[in-house]
Every structure is written in C-alpha cells, then in structure tokens.
C-alpha cells in the first residue's frame, strides 16, 4: 500500500467526523473537571464532597457502558451519539443553575453517562472503519487529537474564568459543535446488531484480557500519575510551580508519540508490543527516584515515559479492532472503556496509600509494580482464545 493511499485512508470523511466529534467533546470534558472542582470549593464543599462527586462520573461510566451496545443496536450509532451529545450539553447548563449542591450528584452521573456513550460509540466508529493495515496509525491519530483536546480544555478555562456563567455556556456549546461533523459526514456510521446472549462486557474482558487490561492499567496510572508525580517532585526538592508542569511534560509525550506508536503496531504483533510497553514503562517508573534533585532529568524521563505509556490505550484499541467486528467490537470497546473507568477509580487511592506508606517513593514504586504485573499477565496469562 502506497504512502499516498495510506494518507487518503486517514482522511476518510466518516473517520475524520468521529475523531472531530470526540475531540471537541473532550475539550468540554477537560474544561469541566477543574471548573466543577473550583465551583464546588467556592460554594463551601469539603474535599470529601468534591472527591465523591468527581468519582460519580466514573461510577456512571461503569454502570452505563455495558448497556450502550444494546442501545446502539436499537437506536443506531449516529442517533445515540446525538443523544449523548445533547445530554452532555444539557448537563453543563444544569451545573450553571443555582440548585443545591446535592443535585450535582445526579448531574455528574448524567455527564458520565453522556461521556461514556460518546467514547464507546466514537471509538467503535473509528476502529471499525479504519483499514486493517492502518488501524494502528488511525488510532494513533485519534489519541493524538484527543490529547490535544484535553490540553485545550484548561486553557479555555483560563480565558473564561470560573466565576461566571461563561465557562458553562462554552462547555455546553462545545457539545453542540461536536454534533456538526456527525451531522455533515456521519452518513457512513457503522451499524450494530443486537448482542447475542452471554456476550456482554465481562465475556470480552475474559476473551481479550491483554487488550482490556491495557485500558485498566492506563486508566489507573494516567490518573494517578497526573495526581502524584507533581507531588513527588515537590517532596523531592522541586518548587511547586516547576513540579506542576510535570503533567505538561507527560502530555507532550502523549501528543508527539501516538502516530508513530500506531505505525509500529501496524508492523508487529500488538500483544507483544503491549508487553514491551508495560515492561519498558515499569523500568521507567522504577527509575524515577534516580532523577531526584535534577529537574532536567525528571522532566526528560516524564516526557519519554508519557510518550510510551499512552501506547497502552492506542495499541489496546487497535488490538480489539484487529480481533473483533460488528457488535462484538462495540461490546469489546465498551469493556475497554469500562476497564479504563475502573482503573481511574482504583489508581489514585492505591498510589496515595503507597506514598503514605513509603514517602515519597511509594507512588512510583507502585506504578512500576502495576505495569510489571500487566506485562506479566499479557505475556503469560493473556493468550486469549480465538473469538468464536
């Protein structure tokens, strides 16, 4: 296949439409997380309340995701995606209303349902339409665009501020704007048939553990790393302003590496690549204490480490697209998103305990152990059976 043909396949309008949709929605998601935290604090909410409300989004994803493939089979992928975007817009406006704070729990649940549906449907859409020989690079382009969207959200919040209705209106408007590419170029959306009995998300977690556990591992470590790596920097001698930028170093690695990572996954066995990513990033996490006292070494390691670890998400999705199609792919993708959300709930508390038990090195040590455990499972215990 020529480079010219390869490039054209990446620009297929339905694929670009799905990437543009989820990226735009991702901007709103990245804007909403700090916005809502600041707003709750301004209204006198405790840290426990803020944490519990934030976790409600993950609970919503875990609860709703298994139902999405069946709902898409009934309503269609495109109409359900429109409904999810409309729910996201309505929820952002709901947060702007002067209601009691307890109402933010159902609102956060609704936002989580919306985002879970958007990710499952968009990723199924992109994976199923990607040419098999180029699936990795397509997923790399998707993750790169999504990373840029996540980076843009906080920047927009800086411009809008947090004390007015404007950021809520912008967040709602972004969900509406995300409908445009689906409206214009979504006629080629894939269809989903009704799932067979017994072939739900748990079935695909058992059937494809190397891929679905990649989602769990990345969810646990990504969220935990953005929380505790800056704190680790402070506790090892960096000033707070410099340490706060460590998340940007990890994000920079995400942006520059995922298309090359996808290209690599198109040229080698994806399960072996996932094993290499897990093992290599375990070594990188274990090496973090060696950078103690050197901001240059810490930032360089974080950038390289971040550029590799996001491959768990990119390659895991591509691996599902390689193995499954149709409703099986949609359900496997739902399993992947559900495991990612579960990882987001589990990772930060575990790493926090680790940092308390062994201050400050417990967090990077546990990150290394998680990655080593994943690599071991993928290498020795995750040779999945062929899909029936």
């Amino acid at each position: 296949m020529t480079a010219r043909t390869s490039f054209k396949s990446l620009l297929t309008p339905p694929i670009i439409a799905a990437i543009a949709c989820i990226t735009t929605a991702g901007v709103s998601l990245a804007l909403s997380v700090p916005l809502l935290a600041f707003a709750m604090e301004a209204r006198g909410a405790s840290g426990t309340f803020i944490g519990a409300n934030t976790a409600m989004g993950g609970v919503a994803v875990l609860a709703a995701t298994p139902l999405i493939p069946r709902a898409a089979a009934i309503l269609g992928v495109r109409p359900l995606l429109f409904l999810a975007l409309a729910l996201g817009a309505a929820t952002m406006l709901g947060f702007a209303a002067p209601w009691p704070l307890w109402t933010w729990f159902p609102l956060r649940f609704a936002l989580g349902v919306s985002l879970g549906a958007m990710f499952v449907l968009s990723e199924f859409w992109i994976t199923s339409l990607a040419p098999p020989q180029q699936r990795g690079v397509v997923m790399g382009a998707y993750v790169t665009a999504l990373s840029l969207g996540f980076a843009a959200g906080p920047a927009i919040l800086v411009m809008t501020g947090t004390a007015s209705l404007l950021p809520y209106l912008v967040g709602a408007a972004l969900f509406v704007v995300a409908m445009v590419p689906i409206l214009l170029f979504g006629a080629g959306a894939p269809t989903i048939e009704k799932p067979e009995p017994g072939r739900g998300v748990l079935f695909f977690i058992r059937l494809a553990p190397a891929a679905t556990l990649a989602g769990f591992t990345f969810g646990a470590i990504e969220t935990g790393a953005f929380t505790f790596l800056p704190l680790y920097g402070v506790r090892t001698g960096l000033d707070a302003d410099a340490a706060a930028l460590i998340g940007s170093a990890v994000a920079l690695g995400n942006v520059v590496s995922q298309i090359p990572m996808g290209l690599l996954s198109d040229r080698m066995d994806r399960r072996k690549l996932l094993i290499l990513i897990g093992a290599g990033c375990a070594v990188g996490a274990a090496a973090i204490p060696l950078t103690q006292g050197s901001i240059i070494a810490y930032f360089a390691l974080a950038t390289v480490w971040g550029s590799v670890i996001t491959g768990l998400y990119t390659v895991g999705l591509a691996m599902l697209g390689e193995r499954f199609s149709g409703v099986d792919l949609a359900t496997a993708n739902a399993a992947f998103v559900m495991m990612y959300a579960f990882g987001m709930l589990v990772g930060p508390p575990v790493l926090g305990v680790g940092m308390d038990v062994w201050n400050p090195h417990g967090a990077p040590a546990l990150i290394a152990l998680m990655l080593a455990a994943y690599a071991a499972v993928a290498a020795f215990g995750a040779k999945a059976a062929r899909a029936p």
Side-chain angles (χ1 to χ4, degrees), residues 264-317:
L264 181 61
S265 81
D266 287 334
R267 288 162 172 76
M268 66 178 290
D269 182 276
R270 290 190 173 104
R271 190 173 69 88
K272 291 180 180 178
L273 181 55
L274 287 171
I275 295 168
L276 290 173
I277 292 170
C281 287
V283 172
I288 287 175
L290 300 179
T291 69
Q292 188 170 334
S294 172
I295 187 172
I296 295 175
Y298 191 39
F299 271 62
L301 179 59
T303 301
V304 174
W305 185 78
S307 72
V308 176
I309 196 170
T310 309
L312 290 175
Y313 199 94
T314 301
V315 180
L317 285 174

Coordinates of all heavy atoms in Angstrom, one line a residue, residues 264-317:
L264 N 4.0 1.6 14.4 CA 4.7 0.5 14.9 C 3.8 -0.7 15.1 O 4.1 -1.9 14.8 CB 5.5 0.8 16.2 CG 6.3 -0.3 16.8 CD1 7.4 -0.7 15.8 CD2 6.9 0.2 18.1
S265 N 2.6 -0.4 15.7 CA 1.7 -1.5 16.0 C 1.1 -2.1 14.7 O 0.6 -3.3 14.7 CB 0.5 -1.0 16.8 OG -0.5 -0.3 16.1
D266 N 1.1 -1.4 13.6 CA 0.7 -2.0 12.3 C 1.7 -2.9 11.7 O 1.5 -3.6 10.7 CB 0.4 -0.8 11.3 CG -0.9 -0.1 11.6 OD1 -1.8 -0.7 12.3 OD2 -1.0 1.1 11.3
R267 N 2.9 -2.9 12.3 CA 4.1 -3.6 11.7 C 4.6 -4.8 12.6 O 5.6 -5.4 12.2 CB 5.2 -2.7 11.3 CG 4.9 -1.8 10.1 CD 5.7 -0.6 10.0 NE 5.5 0.1 8.8 CZ 4.5 0.9 8.5 NH1 3.5 1.0 9.4 NH2 4.4 1.5 7.4
M268 N 3.9 -5.0 13.8 CA 4.4 -6.1 14.6 C 3.2 -6.6 15.4 O 2.1 -6.0 15.4 CB 5.5 -5.6 15.6 CG 5.0 -4.5 16.6 SD 6.4 -4.1 17.8 CE 6.5 -5.6 18.7
D269 N 3.4 -7.7 16.1 CA 2.3 -8.3 16.9 C 2.0 -7.4 18.0 O 2.8 -6.9 18.8 CB 2.8 -9.6 17.4 CG 1.8 -10.3 18.3 OD1 1.6 -10.0 19.4 OD2 1.1 -11.2 17.7
R270 N 0.7 -7.0 18.1 CA 0.2 -6.0 19.0 C 0.3 -6.5 20.4 O 0.6 -5.7 21.4 CB -1.2 -5.5 18.7 CG -1.2 -4.7 17.4 CD -2.6 -4.0 17.1 NE -2.5 -3.1 16.0 CZ -3.0 -3.4 14.8 NH1 -3.7 -4.6 14.6 NH2 -2.9 -2.5 13.8
R271 N 0.1 -7.8 20.7 CA 0.2 -8.2 22.1 C 1.6 -8.1 22.6 O 1.9 -7.7 23.7 CB -0.3 -9.7 22.2 CG -0.4 -10.2 23.6 CD -1.1 -11.5 23.7 NE -0.2 -12.5 23.1 CZ 0.7 -13.2 23.9 NH1 0.9 -12.9 25.1 NH2 1.5 -14.1 23.3
K272 N 2.6 -8.5 21.7 CA 4.0 -8.3 22.1 C 4.4 -6.9 22.3 O 5.1 -6.6 23.2 CB 4.9 -8.9 21.0 CG 4.8 -10.4 20.9 CD 5.7 -11.0 19.8 CE 5.6 -12.5 19.7 NZ 6.4 -13.0 18.6
L273 N 3.8 -6.0 21.5 CA 4.1 -4.6 21.7 C 3.5 -4.1 23.0 O 4.2 -3.3 23.8 CB 3.5 -3.7 20.6 CG 3.7 -2.2 20.6 CD1 5.2 -1.9 20.7 CD2 3.1 -1.6 19.4
L274 N 2.3 -4.5 23.4 CA 1.7 -4.2 24.7 C 2.6 -4.7 25.9 O 2.8 -4.0 26.9 CB 0.3 -4.7 24.9 CG -0.8 -4.1 24.0 CD1 -2.1 -4.8 24.1 CD2 -1.0 -2.6 24.5
I275 N 3.2 -5.9 25.7 CA 4.1 -6.4 26.7 C 5.3 -5.5 26.8 O 5.8 -5.2 28.0 CB 4.5 -7.9 26.4 CG1 3.3 -8.8 26.5 CG2 5.6 -8.4 27.3 CD1 3.5 -10.1 25.9
L276 N 5.9 -5.1 25.7 CA 7.1 -4.3 25.7 C 6.8 -2.9 26.3 O 7.6 -2.4 27.1 CB 7.6 -4.1 24.3 CG 8.2 -5.3 23.6 CD1 8.6 -5.0 22.2 CD2 9.5 -5.7 24.4
I277 N 5.6 -2.4 26.0 CA 5.2 -1.1 26.6 C 5.1 -1.2 28.1 O 5.6 -0.4 28.9 CB 3.9 -0.6 26.0 CG1 4.1 -0.2 24.6 CG2 3.3 0.6 26.8 CD1 2.7 0.1 23.8
G278 N 4.4 -2.2 28.6 CA 4.3 -2.4 30.1 C 5.6 -2.6 30.8 O 5.9 -2.0 31.8
A279 N 6.5 -3.5 30.2 CA 7.7 -3.8 30.8 C 8.7 -2.5 30.8 O 9.3 -2.2 31.8 CB 8.4 -4.9 30.1
G280 N 8.7 -1.9 29.6 CA 9.6 -0.7 29.5 C 9.1 0.4 30.4 O 10.0 1.1 31.0
C281 N 7.8 0.7 30.5 CA 7.3 1.8 31.4 C 7.5 1.4 32.9 O 7.6 2.3 33.7 CB 5.9 2.1 31.1 SG 5.7 3.0 29.5
A282 N 7.5 0.1 33.2 CA 7.8 -0.3 34.6 C 9.2 0.1 34.9 O 9.4 0.6 36.0 CB 7.5 -1.8 34.7
V283 N 10.1 -0.2 34.0 CA 11.5 0.2 34.3 C 11.6 1.7 34.4 O 12.3 2.2 35.3 CB 12.4 -0.3 33.1 CG1 13.8 0.2 33.3 CG2 12.4 -1.8 33.1
G284 N 10.9 2.5 33.5 CA 10.9 3.9 33.6 C 10.4 4.4 34.9 O 11.0 5.4 35.5
A285 N 9.3 3.9 35.4 CA 8.8 4.3 36.7 C 9.7 4.0 37.8 O 9.9 4.8 38.7 CB 7.4 3.6 36.9
A286 N 10.3 2.8 37.8 CA 11.3 2.4 38.8 C 12.5 3.4 38.8 O 13.2 3.5 39.9 CB 11.7 1.0 38.6
A287 N 12.8 4.0 37.7 CA 14.0 4.9 37.6 C 13.7 6.3 38.0 O 14.6 7.1 38.1 CB 14.5 4.9 36.1
I288 N 12.4 6.6 38.3 CA 12.1 8.0 38.7 C 12.9 8.5 39.9 O 13.4 9.6 39.9 CB 10.6 8.1 39.0 CG1 9.8 8.1 37.6 CG2 10.2 9.4 39.7 CD1 8.3 8.1 37.8
P289 N 13.1 7.6 41.0 CA 13.9 8.1 42.1 C 15.3 8.5 41.7 O 16.0 9.3 42.4 CB 13.9 6.9 43.1 CG 12.6 6.2 42.8 CD 12.4 6.4 41.3
L290 N 15.9 7.9 40.6 CA 17.2 8.2 40.2 C 17.4 9.7 39.7 O 18.5 10.2 39.7 CB 17.7 7.3 39.1 CG 17.7 5.8 39.5 CD1 18.1 5.0 38.3 CD2 18.6 5.5 40.7
T291 N 16.2 10.3 39.4 CA 16.3 11.7 38.9 C 16.2 12.7 40.0 O 16.2 13.9 39.8 CB 15.1 12.0 38.0 OG1 13.9 12.0 38.7 CG2 15.0 10.9 36.8
Q292 N 16.1 12.2 41.3 CA 15.9 13.1 42.4 C 16.9 14.2 42.5 O 18.1 14.0 42.4 CB 16.0 12.3 43.7 CG 15.6 13.0 44.9 CD 15.5 12.1 46.1 OE1 15.2 10.9 46.0 NE2 15.7 12.6 47.3
G293 N 16.4 15.5 42.5 CA 17.3 16.6 42.6 C 17.6 17.2 41.3 O 18.2 18.3 41.2
S294 N 17.3 16.6 40.1 CA 17.5 17.1 38.8 C 16.2 17.4 38.1 O 15.6 16.4 37.6 CB 18.4 16.2 38.0 OG 18.6 16.6 36.7
I295 N 15.8 18.6 37.9 CA 14.6 18.9 37.2 C 14.7 18.5 35.7 O 13.7 18.0 35.2 CB 14.2 20.4 37.4 CG1 12.8 20.7 36.8 CG2 15.3 21.3 36.7 CD1 12.3 22.0 37.1
I296 N 15.9 18.7 35.1 CA 16.0 18.3 33.7 C 15.8 16.8 33.5 O 15.1 16.4 32.6 CB 17.4 18.7 33.2 CG1 17.5 20.3 33.2 CG2 17.6 18.2 31.8 CD1 18.9 20.8 32.8
A297 N 16.5 16.0 34.4 CA 16.3 14.5 34.3 C 14.9 14.1 34.5 O 14.4 13.2 33.8 CB 17.3 13.9 35.2
Y298 N 14.2 14.7 35.5 CA 12.9 14.3 35.9 C 11.9 14.6 34.7 O 11.1 13.8 34.3 CB 12.5 15.1 37.1 CG 11.2 14.6 37.8 CD1 10.8 13.3 37.8 CD2 10.3 15.5 38.3 CE1 9.6 12.9 38.4 CE2 9.1 15.1 38.9 CZ 8.8 13.8 39.0 OH 7.6 13.4 39.5
F299 N 12.0 15.8 34.1 CA 11.2 16.2 33.0 C 11.4 15.4 31.8 O 10.5 15.0 31.1 CB 11.3 17.7 32.7 CG 10.4 18.6 33.5 CD1 10.4 18.6 34.9 CD2 9.4 19.3 32.9 CE1 9.6 19.4 35.7 CE2 8.5 20.1 33.7 CZ 8.6 20.1 35.1
A300 N 12.7 15.1 31.5 CA 13.1 14.3 30.3 C 12.5 12.9 30.5 O 11.9 12.3 29.5 CB 14.6 14.2 30.2
L301 N 12.6 12.3 31.7 CA 12.1 10.9 31.9 C 10.6 10.9 31.8 O 10.0 10.0 31.2 CB 12.6 10.4 33.2 CG 12.1 9.0 33.6 CD1 12.5 8.0 32.6 CD2 12.5 8.6 35.0
A302 N 9.9 12.0 32.4 CA 8.5 12.0 32.3 C 8.0 12.2 30.9 O 7.0 11.6 30.5 CB 8.0 13.2 33.2
T303 N 8.7 12.9 30.1 CA 8.3 13.1 28.7 C 8.4 11.8 27.9 O 7.4 11.4 27.2 CB 9.1 14.2 28.0 OG1 9.0 15.4 28.7 CG2 8.7 14.4 26.6
V304 N 9.5 11.1 28.0 CA 9.7 9.9 27.3 C 8.7 8.8 27.9 O 8.1 8.1 27.1 CB 11.1 9.4 27.5 CG1 11.3 8.0 26.9 CG2 12.1 10.4 26.8
W305 N 8.6 8.8 29.2 CA 7.7 7.8 29.8 C 6.2 8.0 29.3 O 5.5 7.1 29.0 CB 7.8 7.9 31.3 CG 7.1 6.9 32.1 CD1 7.4 5.6 32.3 CD2 5.8 7.1 32.8 NE1 6.5 5.0 33.2 CE2 5.5 5.9 33.5 CE3 5.0 8.2 33.0 CZ2 4.3 5.8 34.2 CZ3 3.8 8.1 33.7 CH2 3.5 6.9 34.4
G306 N 5.8 9.3 29.3 CA 4.5 9.6 28.9 C 4.2 9.3 27.5 O 3.1 8.9 27.1
S307 N 5.3 9.4 26.6 CA 5.1 9.1 25.2 C 4.9 7.7 24.9 O 4.3 7.3 24.0 CB 6.4 9.6 24.4 OG 7.5 8.8 24.7
V308 N 5.4 6.8 25.8 CA 5.3 5.4 25.6 C 4.1 4.8 26.3 O 3.3 4.0 25.7 CB 6.6 4.7 26.2 CG1 6.4 3.1 26.1 CG2 7.8 5.1 25.4
I309 N 3.7 5.3 27.5 CA 2.7 4.6 28.3 C 1.3 4.8 27.6 O 0.4 3.9 27.7 CB 2.7 5.1 29.7 CG1 1.8 4.1 30.6 CG2 2.1 6.5 29.9 CD1 1.9 4.3 32.1
T310 N 1.1 5.9 26.9 CA -0.2 6.1 26.3 C -0.4 5.1 25.2 O -1.5 4.8 24.7 CB -0.3 7.5 25.7 OG1 0.1 8.4 26.7 CG2 -1.7 7.9 25.2
G311 N 0.7 4.4 24.8 CA 0.5 3.3 23.8 C -0.4 2.2 24.3 O -0.9 1.4 23.5
L312 N -0.5 2.0 25.6 CA -1.4 1.0 26.2 C -2.8 1.3 25.6 O -3.6 0.4 25.3 CB -1.4 1.1 27.7 CG -0.2 0.6 28.4 CD1 -0.3 0.8 29.9 CD2 0.1 -0.9 28.1
Y313 N -3.2 2.6 25.6 CA -4.6 2.9 25.1 C -4.7 2.8 23.6 O -5.6 2.1 23.1 CB -4.9 4.4 25.5 CG -6.3 4.7 25.5 CD1 -7.1 4.6 26.6 CD2 -7.0 5.1 24.3 CE1 -8.5 4.9 26.6 CE2 -8.3 5.5 24.2 CZ -9.1 5.4 25.4 OH -10.4 5.7 25.4
T314 N -3.7 3.3 22.9 CA -3.7 3.3 21.4 C -3.7 1.9 20.9 O -4.5 1.4 20.1 CB -2.5 4.1 20.9 OG1 -2.6 5.4 21.3 CG2 -2.5 4.1 19.3
V315 N -2.7 1.1 21.4 CA -2.5 -0.3 20.9 C -3.6 -1.2 21.4 O -4.0 -2.1 20.6 CB -1.1 -0.8 21.3 CG1 -0.9 -2.2 20.7 CG2 0.0 0.2 20.7
G316 N -4.1 -1.0 22.6 CA -5.1 -1.8 23.1 C -6.4 -1.7 22.2 O -7.0 -2.7 21.9
L317 N -6.8 -0.5 21.9 CA -7.9 -0.3 21.0 C -7.7 -0.9 19.6 O -8.6 -1.5 19.0 CB -8.2 1.2 20.8 CG -8.9 1.9 22.0 CD1 -8.9 3.4 21.7 CD2 -10.2 1.4 22.3

